């Protein structure tokens, strides 16, 4: 243990009028608070959650297209490419959900982490949060984080049953479905932007210029 | 960072004469205020969230040692390392050591006010590394060799034309010789230049908006995506954070996040809210191989135990400065150190010394707007007043002001003498000012009459006139 | 003993008028306006002689000792009344919000300060919120704009009350200025300690006033009004400046603040 660590902790305890660590009886209560996290105030979400998710996402300039089945994803991706005059080269996250898609032969697909000059990535979302139109993406072997940031166009496939109401609901799912926290959890709400030049909003700062969500189901 | 807070008077006087600054600040102000207003109005639960957020932070601060230890344990079990630093000097040494061990040349940086506290860029440069700020605003002021003037909009004092000039001067070496004059082109040019830096850096340093004790995660909240490229691409990720940044759980952070972006930029959520927990896992295809957290005290534990502990609730949203008429007039650089505006006028004296920054808590009208908009309900005006009290006790107040106040108090505490003196004084002033109704100049009142006329008094005091009326009745 | 009406307010309350130092010295007319408004509303009025200032200049300069001494003086002079009322949100905010916190280690004075604080009000909000005054009998045929002084607004919640009362004045039109809630740059001793910053702030304020197209500026705090009137005159503006109480009481025969007789 470093001397600085002991010094900082001792200073904190002095400031809190204590001579040492908290008593075990107190830490037991605090540990219980950590182990059973409680939601605090959750804003009311009006109306139907999927609709709310879509309208919130669109309000932050996320483009959304809804398709009925996974089979239709390839078509939706193609439409996005054509709409933005992009060449059919995709880096697709090595996610089983995406691998099962019958991709059009038109695409040249690579499954890997991103490189600096990749144009279009396709990844799968862990959840969508209706409250704010936010996507939740987890890092892992099937979902390299760089795909969320380096390409110019980021296409995210989200199954409709993965939409939750509040951020807290996403955490509950995360705890339930994953044994431990992934290295990275990305909450993404719209395409990259900056207002650092005279407070003028400009999209496509360092991250993707366009965010396209394909909602399935 | 070296403090120049003692130069506030000169620096603010210079700033007031700068027409570019006035233009830049004028453009920013209305937008920040209106966007926040709209966001708050659209959220009926804002006050309830504010109350909950305050309770979360108070609870954490009351058990800060516990939560820091739990946080540290969680980071370690995710494979990361936690380094503690009492002082900025210790923090710099830790970071330089990590960079040396990484064999780094280039170090990319996400925006971090704690990094500014440490003066980490200067330290990295002196040690032979190439620090590159990647937030567009920070990048702009790094080129200009200036400190940030706002905690979330560091280049808010720069006009577009000034940025055009800076880019033109610094980007020719990359073969970018055209002058970029429009916002999209400016942003695009920064994207091009910085993309190379992101891909080649060995170390990435970010700040942290929050640390989560439950999971050992650090959180950054950004819009550009630069922070994410900084914490994902290099081999080593270093997080710098003040010890007050810890909150217990993901649920707790969710509550505060609902206040942060709304108060800062009027967004419901910033574009990227990113939780980093340890280094990349063995199955991961990308991410840093090492994850370090440098926890900085730098006076915070002192504040925890005194009348300024509520300042530790601050989440650095910038709402106080966006609504401060003094900050809007003089800009952030006048404050002379890392943190400007109302929150800076409290923090700077506590971190660099009241004797070296005495003007900061005094240069405020106590109009209370900062407290009104603070999402963490920090009583900023009350703290500024407490700092004035400290200054008065330490006899830091300039002699003339002290003497004038003493003389005034002598009379104010003696009502009969006061009424006699004021009756005579006002009779004289009233008759001198009768013709014009005001004074353009008056001896000993230059502070007033340099900027405005002094309306003349009616000539008779209310006390006198009222007694007279009473006796006539 | 005075009796109460159904709102719980006293029907003929004995009010101690806290004149405020600036009104006493610069603009007694505001004091007389307060007297008229309170008497018309059925109050019995006293003006204690043992008052000078609320102590705010000392308190805000960090001089807690002198501030406490002056606070004790005010408390002693006013605690006998049913209410303490003054034509300033700033001074009354001082008494209401800050007196009780000035005696952290003195339970006796803390109690006396708290009791005084509870019954202390700014004039216009007192008329409206406590006495329930609905109408005033005054005429003022001008377009006015209203500056919300900071302490009144944020410490005392004064915003709607003056507007409601001014709405009753015959001939008066209210044009709201932009940023009516932004500080005018007065700030007590601030304006002389940091004159350059104060100048910028009051110049910005004068711009908002001018852009409102009002012919008269009203407010509820004489400090701010002296500051803004002084700057308006310096910029050769023809906008007239009155304390809102003067207009409400119909006491506008006197030249506006800063204008010659």
């Amino acid at each position: 243990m470093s001397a600085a660590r002991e010094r900082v902790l001792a200073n904190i305890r002095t400031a809190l009028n204590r001579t040492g660590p908290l008593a075990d009886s107190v830490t037991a209560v605090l540990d219980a608070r950590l182990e059973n996290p409680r939601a605090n105030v959750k804003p009311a979400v009006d109306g139907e959650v999927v609709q709310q998710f879509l309208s919130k996402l669109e309000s932050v300039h996320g483009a959304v297209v809804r398709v009925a089945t996974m089979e239709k994803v390839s078509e939706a991706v193609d439409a996005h490419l054509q709409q933005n005059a992009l060449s059919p080269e995709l880096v697709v996250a090595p996610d089983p959900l995406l691998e099962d898609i019958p991709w059009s032969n038109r695409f040249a697909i690579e499954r890997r982490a991103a490189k600096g000059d990749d144009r279009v990535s396709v990844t799968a979302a862990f959840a969508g949060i209706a409250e704010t139109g936010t996507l939740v993406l987890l890092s892992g072997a099937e979902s390299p984080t760089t795909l969320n940031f380096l390409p110019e166009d980021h296409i995210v496939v989200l199954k409709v049953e993965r939409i939750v109401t509040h951020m807290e609901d996403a955490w509950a799912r995360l705890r339930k479905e994953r044994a431990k926290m992934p290295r990275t959890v990305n909450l993404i709400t719209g395409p990259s932007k900056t207002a650092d030049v005279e407070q003028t909003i400009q999209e496509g700062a360092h991250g993707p210029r366009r965010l396209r969500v394909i909602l399935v189901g | 960072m070296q403090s120049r807070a003692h130069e506030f008077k000169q620096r603010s006087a210079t700033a007031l004469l700068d027409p570019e600054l006035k233009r830049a600040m004028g453009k920013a102000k209305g937008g920040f205020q209106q966007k926040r207003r709209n966001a708050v109005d659209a959220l009926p639960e804002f006050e309830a969230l504010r109350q909950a957020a305050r309770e979360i932070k108070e609870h954490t601060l009351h058990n800060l040692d516990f939560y820091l230890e739990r946080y540290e344990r969680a980071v370690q079990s995710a494979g990361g390392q936690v380094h503690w630093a009492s002082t900025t000097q210790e923090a710099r040494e830790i970071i330089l050591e990590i960079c040396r061990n990484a064999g780094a040349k280039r170090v990319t940086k996400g925006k971090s006010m704690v990094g500014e506290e440490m003066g980490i860029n200067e330290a990295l440069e002196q040690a032979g590394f190439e620090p590159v700020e990647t937030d567009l605003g920070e990048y702009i002021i790094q080129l200009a060799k200036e400190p940030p003037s706002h905690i979330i909009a560091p280049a808010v004092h720069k006009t577009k034309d000034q940025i055009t000039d800076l880019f033109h001067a610094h980007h020719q070496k990359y073969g970018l010789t055209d002058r970029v004059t429009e916002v999209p082109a400016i942003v695009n040019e920064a994207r091009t230049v910085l993309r190379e830096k992101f891909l080649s850096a060995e170390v990435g340093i970010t700040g942290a908006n929050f640390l989560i004790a439950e999971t050992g995660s650090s959180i950054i909240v950004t819009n550009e995506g630069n922070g994410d490229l900084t914490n994902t691409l290099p081999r080593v990720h270093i997080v710098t954070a003040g010890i007050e940044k810890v909150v217990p759980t993901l649920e707790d952070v969710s509550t505060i996040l609902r206040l942060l972006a709304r108060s800062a930029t009027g967004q419901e959520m910033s574009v990227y809210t990113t939780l980093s927990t340890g280094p990349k896992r063995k199955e991961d295809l990308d991410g840093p191989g090492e994850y370090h957290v440098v926890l900085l005290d730098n006076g915070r534990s002192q504040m925890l135990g005194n009348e300024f502990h509520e300042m530790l609730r601050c989440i650095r949203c910038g709402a106080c400065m966006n609504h401060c008429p003094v900050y809007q007039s003089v800009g952030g650089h006048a404050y002379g150190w890392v943190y400007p505006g109302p929150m800076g006028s409290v923090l700077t004296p506590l971190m660099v010394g009241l004797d070296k920054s005495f003007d900061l808590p005094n240069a405020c009208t106590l109009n209370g707007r900062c407290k009104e908009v603070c999402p963490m309900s920090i009583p900023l005006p009350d703290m500024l007043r407490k700092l004035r009290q400290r200054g008065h006790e330490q006899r830091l107040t300039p002699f003339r002001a002290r003497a004038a106040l003493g003389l005034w108090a002598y009379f104010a505490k003696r009502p009969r003498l006061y009424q006699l003196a004021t009756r005579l004084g006002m009779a004289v002033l009233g008759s001198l000012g009768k013709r014009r109704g005001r004074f353009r100049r008056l001896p000993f009142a230059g502070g007033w009459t340099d900027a405005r006329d002094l309306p003349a008094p009616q000539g008779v005091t209310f006390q006198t006139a009222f007694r007279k009326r009473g006796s006539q009745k | 003993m005075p009796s109460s009406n159904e709102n719980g307010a006293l029907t003929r309350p004995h009010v101690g008028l806290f004149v405020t130092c600036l009104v006493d010295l610069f603009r007694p007319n505001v004091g007389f306006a307060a007297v008229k408004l309170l008497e018309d509303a059925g109050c019995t009025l006293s003006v204690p002689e043992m008052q000078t200032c609320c102590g705010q200049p000392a308190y805000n300069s960090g001089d807690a000792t002198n501030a406490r001494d002056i606070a004790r003086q005010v408390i002693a002079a006013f605690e006998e009344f049913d209410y303490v009322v003054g034509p300033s949100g700033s001074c009354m905010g001082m008494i209401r919000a800050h007196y009780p916190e000035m005696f952290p280690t003195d339970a006796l004075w803390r109690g006396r300060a708290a009791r005084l604080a509870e019954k202390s009000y700014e004039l216009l909000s007192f008329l409206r919120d406590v006495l329930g005054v609905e109408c005033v009998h005054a005429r003022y045929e001008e377009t006015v704009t209203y500056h919300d002084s900071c302490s009144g607004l944020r410490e005392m919640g004064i915003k709607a009350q003056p507007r409601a009362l001014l709405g009753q004045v015959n001939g008066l039109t209210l044009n709201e200025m932009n940023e009516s809630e932004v500080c005018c740059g007065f700030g007590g001793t601030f304006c002389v300690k940091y004159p350059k910053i104060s100048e910028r702030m009051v110049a910005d304020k004068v711009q908002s006033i001018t852009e409102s197209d009002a012919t008269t500026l009203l407010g509820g705090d004489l400090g701010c009004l002296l500051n803004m009137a002084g700057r308006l005159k310096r910029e050769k503006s023809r906008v007239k400046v009155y304390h809102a109480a003067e207009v409400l009481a119909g006491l506008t025969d006197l030249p506006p603040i800063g204008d010659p007789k």
Side-chain angles (χ1 to χ4, degrees):
Chain A
M1 292 298 128
S2 80
R5 179 183 190 277
E6 297 317 308
R7 207 158 48 237
V8 172
L9 287 172
N11 285 343
I12 291 170
R13 288 174 183 140
T14 307
L16 295 171
N17 280 324
R18 286 197 265 111
T19 49
L22 288 163
D24 290 349
S25 58
V26 181
T27 60
V29 175
L30 297 178
D31 274 324
R33 190 188 188 285
L34 286 176
E35 280 150 28
N36 307 288
R38 236 172 354 107
N40 303 292
V41 179
K42 293 193 283 187
V45 169
D46 305 328
E48 200 263 324
V49 289
V50 175
Q51 211 42 56
Q52 164 86 5
F53 174 80
L54 294 176
S55 71
K56 285 288 178 187
L57 182 60
E58 281 170 353
S59 73
V60 294
H61 296 179
V64 192
V65 59
R66 191 166 179 177
V67 300
T69 61
M70 288 302 289
E71 283 70 38
K72 301 279 186 192
V73 168
S74 176
E75 232 171 82
V77 170
D78 202 17
H80 178 85
L81 299 187
Q82 309 233 2
Q83 194 183 321
N84 295 289
L86 298 165
S87 68
E89 291 158 26
L90 305 176
V91 186
V92 178
D95 186 308
L97 182 78
L98 303 178
E99 284 178 3
D100 293 347
I101 293 171
W103 291 102
S104 153
N105 297 332
R106 210 172 84 74
F107 299 131
I109 292 180
E110 295 188 44
R111 291 186 159 78
R112 52 169 170 78
K115 294 178 188 164
D117 50 3
D118 287 336
R119 293 299 308 275
V120 184
S121 64
V122 183
T123 69
F126 172 77
I129 302 172
E131 179 189 357
T132 48
T134 299
L135 296 162
V136 184
L137 285 84
L138 309 182
S139 66
E142 64 288 350
S143 185
T145 301
T146 44
L147 290 177
N148 306 339
F149 294 96
L150 281 171
E152 309 234 317
D153 287 66
H154 183 200
I155 302 176
V156 181
V157 178
L158 172 68
K159 295 186 93 171
V160 73
E161 62 268 25
R162 304 300 301 180
I163 296 180
V164 296
T165 311
H166 291 106
M167 208 186 296
E168 287 85 344
D169 304 322
W171 304 140
R173 276 204 184 185
L174 180 60
R175 291 191 189 101
K176 197 166 142 221
E177 297 177 17
R178 300 287 169 123
K180 58 178 189 173
M181 280 293 278
R183 146 69 192 169
T184 305
V185 178
N186 292 123
L187 306 185
I188 299 179
T189 315
S192 159
K193 65 181 179 183
T194 183
D196 275 342
V197 183
E198 291 190 349
Q199 306 310 300
T200 308
I201 292 172
Q202 175 62 40
E203 290 179 353
H206 293 294
R209 295 176 194 278
R210 283 171 292 270
L211 175 69
R212 165 71 67 177
V213 176
I214 301 175
L215 185 62
V216 183
Chain B
M1 182 176 153
Q2 188 77 32
S3 170
R4 302 237 162 267
H6 57 284
E7 297 169 2
F8 177 81
K9 274 202 166 128
Q10 304 91 290
R11 293 169 78 89
S12 59
T14 314
L16 286 164
L17 296 173
D18 180 349
E20 295 286 296
L21 178 69
K22 184 164 194 263
R23 231 158 54 80
M25 299 302 286
K27 274 200 170 169
K29 177 179 77 169
F32 273 128
Q33 293 179 4
Q34 192 55 49
K35 285 175 192 163
R36 176 196 169 274
R37 180 81 263 155
N38 295 346
V40 170
D41 287 349
L43 186 70
E45 295 86 354
F46 191 81
E47 277 310 315
L49 283 161
R50 209 176 181 184
Q51 186 58 37
R54 177 194 177 125
E55 282 162 17
I56 290 164
K57 272 293 215 184
E58 285 299 315
H59 168 81
T60 316
L61 291 170
H62 272 104
N63 302 287
L64 187 59
D65 54 335
F66 169 85
Y67 282 114
L68 284 170
E69 288 191 296
R70 285 294 181 274
Y71 165 74
E72 178 185 43
R73 191 199 286 175
V75 173
Q76 288 165 347
S77 72
Q81 298 180 49
V82 177
H83 310 262
W84 302 66
S86 303
T87 63
T88 55
Q89 171 71 23
E90 288 173 8
R92 284 191 296 270
E93 283 165 10
I94 292 163
I95 292 169
L96 292 179
E97 182 70 14
I98 297 168
C99 292
R100 275 187 217 107
N101 290 344
K105 290 193 184 69
R106 182 168 285 160
V107 179
T108 43
K109 287 194 62 224
K111 219 181 86 51
S112 157
M113 297 314 292
V114 162
E116 297 289 338
E117 262 181 60
M118 295 173 186
I120 193 63
N121 284 356
E122 297 81 344
L124 286 167
E125 270 170 26
Q126 277 165 24
F129 302 106
E130 182 200 346
V132 183
E133 290 288 354
T134 61
D135 170 85
L136 179 55
E138 289 282 350
Y139 177 67
I140 291 165
I141 59 169
Q142 190 183 25
L143 294 182
K145 298 197 189 303
E146 290 174 13
S149 73
H150 187 291
I151 60 173
I152 66 156
V156 70
H157 60 287
K158 285 268 181 263
T159 61
K160 190 178 70 177
D161 293 346
Q162 291 173 322
I163 297 167
T164 294
D165 291 344
L166 274 171
F167 277 22
H168 189 61
H170 288 88
H171 287 170
Q172 303 204 19
K173 64 181 173 216
Y174 305 113
L176 302 164
T177 49
D178 291 345
R179 283 176 66 85
V180 283
T181 55
E182 295 309 316
V183 177
I186 291 172
V187 172
N188 212 30
E189 188 164 295
R191 180 184 173 107
T192 307
V193 170
L194 287 169
R195 185 53 70 99
E196 271 319 296
K197 312 273 184 188
F198 282 123
L199 293 166
S200 56
E202 293 84 8
V203 175
I205 303 179
T206 66
N209 291 89
F210 305 95
L211 307 172
I212 306 179
E214 175 199 357
T215 58
S217 310
S218 55
I219 298 192
I220 58 170
V221 177
T222 70
N223 279 314
E224 297 182 2
N226 66 304
D228 288 281
L229 294 174
T230 304
N231 68 25
T232 304
L233 292 169
R235 291 199 306 273
V236 177
H237 175 199
I238 305 175
V239 177
T240 57
I243 54 172
E244 85 285 14
K245 290 286 178 204
V246 69
V247 288
T249 63
L250 292 166
E251 277 70 7
D252 293 322
V253 92
S254 305
T255 299
I256 306 177
L257 279 170
R258 292 189 175 107
L259 297 167
L260 175 60
R262 287 180 172 93
S263 300
T265 55
Q267 292 168 278
E268 294 185 348
M269 279 284 276
S270 298
V271 176
Y272 301 115
T273 299
T274 297
L275 290 74
S276 299
T277 313
K280 68 183 272 198
R281 309 296 148 78
K282 63 177 186 303
E283 66 278 11
D284 286 351
L285 302 181
D286 53 19
E290 287 177 38
Y291 176 77
H292 300 267
V293 181
V294 181
L295 288 177
L296 177 67
D297 184 336
N298 196 28
R300 290 167 170 81
S301 58
Q302 289 290 317
M303 289 161 61
L304 186 62
N306 65 28
E307 54 203 336
F308 298 100
H309 98 268
E310 290 183 275
M311 196 60 218
L312 295 172
R313 289 205 298 267
C314 177
I315 53 173
R316 309 290 192 262
C317 68
C320 60
M321 57 198 75
N322 290 338
H323 292 78
C324 172
V326 174
Y327 174 88
Q328 296 301 333
S329 298
V330 303
H333 286 161
Y335 294 79
W337 195 56
V338 175
Y339 300 106
M343 54 83 78
S345 297
V346 175
L347 277 179
T348 306
L350 297 174
M351 288 184 167
V352 311
L354 182 58
D355 55 331
K356 299 179 190 76
S357 55
F358 186 60
D359 277 315
L360 266 46
N362 282 283
C364 163
T365 61
L366 301 178
N367 62 78
R369 226 169 158 219
C370 49
K371 178 177 166 185
E372 185 177 68
V373 298
C374 175
M376 302 306 287
S377 314
I378 299 170
L380 290 156
D382 299 331
M383 294 189 167
L384 294 170
R385 203 184 281 109
K386 280 175 189 159
L387 286 166
R388 294 178 188 186
Q389 257 176 47
R390 274 195 180 183
H392 187 81
E393 283 156 17
Q394 295 168 22
R395 307 188 78 80
L396 297 172
T397 321
F399 173 77
R400 268 185 61 176
R402 219 183 159 80
L405 188 68
L407 184 68
W408 166 84
Y410 179 87
F411 282 94
K413 293 198 290 191
R414 291 166 179 78
R416 295 202 189 282
L417 183 62
Y418 175 93
Q419 274 152 24
L420 180 67
T422 53
R423 192 164 71 224
L424 296 172
M426 291 305 123
V428 173
L429 268 187
S431 94
L432 286 175
K434 195 177 258 171
R435 199 173 57 79
R436 303 198 51 192
R438 57 185 181 268
F439 301 98
R440 282 191 67 82
R441 287 269 171 275
L442 207 62
F444 309 111
W448 182 281
T449 54
D450 282 351
R452 52 185 98 57
D453 294 356
L454 179 68
Q458 276 179 245
V460 57
T461 66
F462 177 79
Q463 286 281 10
T464 312
F466 185 77
R467 306 291 155 216
K468 207 159 150 195
R469 185 189 88 148
S471 63
Q472 281 164 0
K473 262 189 181 175
Chain C
M1 276 295 282
S3 57
S4 305
N5 70 10
E6 69 231 30
N7 301 329
L10 301 169
T11 45
R12 192 157 183 85
H14 193 181
V15 170
L17 179 66
F18 188 79
V19 183
T20 80
C21 57
L22 289 176
V23 167
D24 182 39
L25 303 184
F26 277 83
R27 194 80 181 167
N29 198 48
V30 176
F32 285 111
V35 170
K36 178 166 190 301
L37 289 166
L38 289 166
E39 285 182 346
D40 285 357
C43 300
T44 305
L45 212 77
S46 290
V47 182
E49 278 190 86
M50 295 302 284
Q51 59 175 312
T52 58
C53 163
C54 65
Q56 194 174 168
Y59 191 57
N60 286 350
S61 299
D63 181 355
T65 312
N66 274 321
R68 252 194 304 275
D69 289 347
I70 296 168
R72 283 197 199 93
Q73 183 175 291
V74 173
I75 293 166
F78 282 91
E79 60 194 345
E80 64 178 287
F81 301 107
D82 299 325
Y83 295 105
V84 185
V85 177
S88 158
S90 175
C91 309
M92 302 318 290
M94 176 73 190
I95 296 174
R96 207 178 159 97
H98 299 296
Y99 276 16
E101 73 195 21
M102 287 167 76
F103 303 96
T105 57
D106 184 339
L108 178 67
W109 277 102
R110 188 166 67 244
R112 290 174 74 176
R115 281 190 295 279
L116 189 79
E118 260 173 40
K119 56 186 181 183
S120 295
Y121 291 89
E122 179 274 339
L123 174 67
L124 305 181
S125 52
F126 179 73
L127 291 172
R128 188 79 188 163
D129 299 344
V130 179
L131 299 179
V133 170
E134 292 287 337
C135 56
V136 293
H137 305 287
R139 169 166 289 280
Y140 188 70
E141 294 191 17
E142 301 268 353
T143 303
V144 307
T145 194
Y146 192 88
H147 167 71
D148 295 289
S149 286
C150 301
S151 308
L153 176 70
R154 300 194 179 88
E155 286 182 345
M156 309 285 278
I158 301 165
K159 177 81 186 179
Q161 305 91 330
R163 289 171 173 80
L165 292 170
L166 288 167
Q168 297 295 312
V169 174
N170 285 318
L172 181 148
T173 312
L174 179 69
N175 267 12
E176 294 285 359
M177 68 175 100
N178 284 329
E179 303 200 317
S180 70
E181 296 185 359
V182 173
C183 180
C184 70
F186 173 62
T189 55
F190 170 85
C191 69
V192 289
K193 284 182 184 160
Y194 300 92
K196 298 278 183 231
I197 304 172
S198 175
E199 178 174 8
R200 167 66 62 81
M201 288 163 68
V202 72
D204 287 350
K205 177 56 72 176
V206 159
Q207 191 181 341
S208 298
I209 295 166
T210 307
E211 286 168 359
S212 76
D213 285 332
T215 52
T216 297
L217 166 69
L218 298 180
D221 264 275
L222 192 57
C224 314
L225 292 168
L226 289 170
N227 179 43
M228 292 182 287
R231 182 68 192 189
L232 283 161
K233 296 299 148 200
R234 180 61 56 92
E235 294 190 12
K236 307 212 177 342
S237 163
R238 300 180 65 174
V239 172
K240 299 174 208 163
V241 182
Y242 281 106
H243 190 289
E246 295 177 286
V247 169
L248 292 170
L251 295 185
T252 48
D253 296 341
L254 193 75
I257 298 169
D259 277 345
K261 290 229 168 73

